[in-house]
Amino acid sequence: MCGIIGCVGRDDATLDTLVHGLSTLEYRGYDSAGVATASNSVDVVKTSGKIEELRETLEGAALTGDVGIGHTRWSTHGPPTDANSHPHQDCTGDVAVVHNGIIENYQHLRDELAASGHTFTSDTDTEVIPHLVEDQLAEGAEPERAIRNAVSRLEGSYAVAVVVAGHGTVYAARNDSPLVLGLGEDETFLASDVPAFRDYTDQVVYLDDGEFARLEDKGWTVTTLDGDPVEKDVDTIDWDPEETGKSGYDHYMLKEIHEQPRALRQCLRGRVDEMAGTVTIEDVGDLSPDGVQFVACGTSYHAALYGAQLFRDAGIPAQAFLASEYVTSVPPLSDALVVGVTQSGETADTLSALRTARKRGVKTLAVTNVVGSTAARECNHAFYIRAGPEIGVAASKTFSTQQVALNQLALSMTDADATREIISALRDLPSNVQRILDESTARSVAETYENADAYFFIGRGYQYPVALEGALKMKEITYKHAEGFASGELKHGPLALVTENTPVFAVVTGDDEQARKIVGNVKEVEARDAPVVAISDGQSDVSRYADHVLEIPETHPRTAAVLANTHLQLVAYHVANLFGHNIDKPRNLAKSVTVE
């Protein structure tokens, strides 16, 4: 949520670079946007609404500075208005600031500043920052010292970028909110995420908490907030800028659903030896935990539920916790391995949970998509899912690759039964997903039930997290009421909501006792005249009781969950598309939730 871009050394291309960078960060979720450029003065243009509206406003403006910063805001303090948009300035107009995060002591600072004569024009917590800098400059401090002193008074989470009139420099500081530098030839960039400058360079430096960066056309430096030099590694981004385009698809989400076969191959490559029947994950090392605690949020929490069952089935106690609950009510840890599942590696609640575990001396492992992310750097170990960049706010290929990555993790750490059979199913998974993408009748199902009152999803075992994820996708992009349940729970309350206009999606695979129980639950639904959509591999007789069947190839129960999920992603997508919603940027949501 919220996006930051900054650049130095782009000369006449500064403004275009800022606006282009903001457009690549739209996927993070936002409700206003703005830019500031600095030379002998600081010029700011900002507006509520979308990037297109900012572009229209800029057509009549004259911004000439050769260094600049930009921002897309997702409202926290104050509604999305022009005044609340970033950048924010001080009373003199010589300082401009953009900020991601939440300043927890902003009200105290604001009261103090107002009492000393400062005038505020917004409702935001961010606006205290330029005024703090202004006070320091008035006392004779040079800009860098003024900004360091101002930042030192902030409590909470922040990624801050600042420009000052008369200085060709972008200053930045980070605490609990991501910032990354992009290193070009005679030009330097700053952003909250790599896509903002990936068209210009693949060389990056990730800032850590408590670090301060200075960007000039002649180079860059990183120090602690106190000014001590920090040696930083320069990493190379291994994906092409083309990967963040739509490639002819109507929406990023649809493109990313169709990219799943490739993403799954990338996740499996070099880790699975089918001949030997082994899985080796060099990044993780030799971990043999007595127990596993997963911490995650949203879609990643559903992957964590799935992963916990994988470990339990192999005889290792495992639980999945909502990261936000874990922090405030920490369960007994003993010698458990704490695994944070986070697509971005920057999810604030998940980072807090992992830090809580580390403070208690427990080993931590990040399962993430982003190399160099905060979770990857702070945990004892990192395991990358290799999904490639995902732009759509609603997760698709990152969920399926999380499922596969957790399979690999469980197989590498446990003595699972039928390991060769599971590995064979994992090998076949990309082609089986492709088959579903080629043959799915999800669009027809969506057209049949687009006007339903609500949607219910049921499953058991490995399919229960898939039911939860199917419901979440429907909520996120269609804005319709949807719920996922363990199928046996229907008769304990939710059945009261079932009507002839509430389709029930039942995930039924195999023909064991579990499948037979779900079929029994389907009969309960059918008896109340609710339409049933079965996601089935044809082994059970659920099709006899279903109005529609979305077929999946016969496979191992573990990988059947990935295949079933593909159908549900497509159903949600097509329903949302029929409504004409902004699928890639659903209302009120952000791709990376970096505040608690």
Side-chain angles (χ1 to χ4, degrees):
M1 64 176 54
C2 300
I4 287 176
I5 176 67
C7 63
V8 177
R10 295 289 291 166
D11 299 327
D12 293 340
T14 297
L15 186 58
D16 288 341
T17 303
L18 295 176
V19 175
H20 175 69
L22 293 181
S23 70
T24 66
L25 295 175
E26 286 189 289
Y27 70 94
R28 295 172 68 90
Y30 73 106
D31 47 42
S32 58
V35 294
T37 59
S39 54
N40 291 328
S41 62
V42 172
D43 298 314
V44 172
V45 173
K46 57 183 182 176
T47 181
S48 61
K50 299 301 182 183
I51 301 291
E52 290 75 13
E53 293 167 75
L54 176 63
R55 285 195 176 100
E56 291 174 6
T57 305
L58 285 167
E59 288 177 4
L63 278 71
T64 58
D66 52 8
V67 302
I69 53 177
H71 191 267
T72 51
R73 176 178 185 251
W74 191 83
S75 299
T76 55
H77 293 72
T81 63
D82 290 355
N84 288 334
S85 305
H86 295 214
H88 289 287
Q89 292 179 275
D90 66 328
C91 295
T92 69
D94 287 339
V95 179
V97 173
V98 294
H99 160 238
N100 289 352
I102 293 178
I103 306 303
E104 295 173 358
N105 63 332
Y106 90 97
Q107 191 62 59
H108 169 75
L109 295 171
R110 183 175 177 131
D111 292 344
E112 174 188 305
L113 289 161
S116 65
H118 290 269
T119 300
F120 288 83
T121 60
S122 79
D123 304 314
T124 69
D125 55 338
T126 302
E127 198 182 356
V128 301
I129 304 173
H131 292 285
L132 289 171
V133 175
E134 178 188 359
D135 270 0
Q136 291 290 315
L137 292 172
E139 292 177 8
E142 289 297 314
E144 182 171 339
R145 174 48 56 191
I147 295 165
R148 288 181 187 274
N149 290 345
V151 169
S152 70
R153 297 201 61 193
L154 305 180
E155 297 175 7
S157 61
Y158 53 79
V160 175
V162 186
V163 291
V164 179
H167 297 268
T169 305
V170 174
Y171 306 92
R174 171 206 160 126
N175 187 61
D176 285 346
S177 194
L179 275 180
V180 57
L181 308 185
L183 312 180
E185 191 171 325
D186 299 324
E187 55 190 18
T188 312
F189 306 88
L190 170 80
S192 49
D193 204 356
V194 171
F197 55 69
R198 180 61 187 88
D199 285 334
Y200 312 114
T201 182
D202 62 356
Q203 301 297 294
V204 301
V205 171
Y206 295 96
L207 296 187
D208 289 307
D209 287 348
E211 292 183 344
F212 185 97
R214 177 185 176 118
L215 284 64
E216 297 177 302
D217 55 5
K218 60 186 177 185
W220 56 277
T221 59
V222 176
T223 61
T224 66
L225 194 56
D226 292 331
D228 297 327
V230 177
E231 298 247 345
K232 302 295 292 185
D233 293 329
V234 178
D235 294 319
T236 300
I237 299 301
D238 63 359
W239 46 266
D240 193 279
E242 296 273 337
E243 291 187 56
T244 59
K246 290 183 183 176
S247 303
Y249 288 92
D250 290 338
H251 298 94
Y252 283 111
M253 183 179 180
L254 185 61
K255 176 199 172 201
E256 287 154 5
I257 289 172
H258 280 265
E259 284 178 339
Q260 287 179 118
R262 183 177 68 176
L264 294 171
R265 290 189 184 96
Q266 290 172 172
C267 183
L268 291 165
R269 186 173 298 126
R271 294 168 172 169
V272 176
D273 186 337
E274 189 175 0
M275 296 295 292
T278 59
V279 174
T280 303
I281 306 173
E282 294 182 358
D283 303 339
V284 173
D286 185 19
L287 289 175
S288 301
D290 295 328
V292 178
Q293 293 181 353
F294 290 92
V295 291
C297 306
T299 288
S300 294
Y301 173 67
H302 300 154
L305 286 170
Y306 172 84
Q309 179 158 343
L310 295 174
F311 277 87
R312 288 196 299 270
D313 286 352
I316 294 180
Q319 294 173 283
F321 297 91
L322 290 165
S324 56
E325 293 294 314
Y326 187 95
V327 172
T328 55
S329 183
V330 185
L333 290 170
S334 63
D335 294 324
L337 171 70
V338 176
V339 179
V341 186
T342 162
Q343 179 274 136
S344 66
E346 305 293 349
T347 310
D349 287 318
T350 306
L351 289 173
S352 292
L354 289 167
R355 288 164 181 161
T356 297
R358 289 205 69 184
K359 286 178 183 176
R360 299 194 174 197
V362 176
K363 285 186 178 180
T364 56
L365 165 67
V367 177
T368 182
N369 192 39
V370 182
V371 176
S373 60
T374 302
R377 297 197 308 275
E378 290 191 3
C379 286
N380 300 105
H381 304 277
F383 180 31
Y384 297 109
I385 65 174
R386 301 175 179 168
E390 184 177 73
I391 304 302
V393 167
S396 54
K397 65 178 180 177
T398 52
F399 179 64
S400 59
T401 47
Q402 283 172 339
Q403 289 176 293
V404 170
L406 292 173
N407 262 292
Q408 295 174 36
L409 194 65
L411 289 170
S412 70
M413 293 185 185
T414 67
D415 296 320
D417 293 334
T419 298
R420 287 184 182 274
E421 181 184 344
I422 297 167
I423 289 175
S424 177
L426 289 171
R427 177 206 62 194
D428 294 339
L429 192 52
S431 59
N432 281 337
V433 170
Q434 187 62 58
R435 178 175 163 187
I436 289 172
L437 295 171
D438 294 339
E439 301 175 2
S440 178
T441 57
R443 181 170 183 169
S444 175
V445 171
E447 291 170 346
T448 302
Y449 299 114
E450 66 171 300
N451 293 315
D453 293 336
Y455 303 86
F456 298 114
F457 299 77
I458 60 174
R460 289 177 184 256
Y462 293 121
Q463 311 305 342
Y464 169 50
V466 170
L468 295 177
E469 177 62 13
L472 180 61
K473 284 292 150 290
M474 191 68 79
K475 293 174 194 174
E476 287 178 321
I477 61 174
T478 73
Y479 314 148
K480 298 280 281 186
H481 179 68
E483 296 294 339
F485 304 102
S487 62
E489 287 298 298
L490 271 181
K491 56 185 174 293
H492 295 289
L495 205 56
L497 299 173
V498 170
T499 72
E500 60 186 14
N501 203 32
T502 55
V504 177
F505 291 77
V507 186
V508 188
T509 60
D511 190 27
D512 55 9
E513 181 182 5
Q514 182 171 265
R516 290 190 287 274
K517 286 182 179 295
I518 303 178
V519 173
N521 301 132
V522 167
K523 292 177 183 178
E524 295 169 350
V525 168
E526 184 196 34
R528 275 101 182 146
D529 297 322
V532 174
V533 179
I535 299 88
S536 172
D537 56 8
Q539 294 188 68
S540 70
D541 62 350
V542 70
S543 60
R544 294 178 53 187
Y545 311 102
D547 298 271
H548 301 269
V549 178
L550 297 171
E551 298 179 354
I552 66 172
E554 187 175 333
T555 185
H556 193 278
R558 293 185 177 199
T559 48
V562 183
L563 301 179
N565 177 65
T566 306
H567 275 303
L568 298 183
Q569 290 174 343
L570 290 168
V571 171
Y573 171 82
H574 287 301
V575 172
N577 201 34
L578 288 166
F579 289 147
H581 291 329
N582 189 344
I583 293 173
D584 291 327
K585 291 171 277 186
R587 68 188 185 198
N588 303 330
L589 300 181
K591 183 66 176 173
S592 178
V593 184
T594 56
V595 295
E596 293 183 65

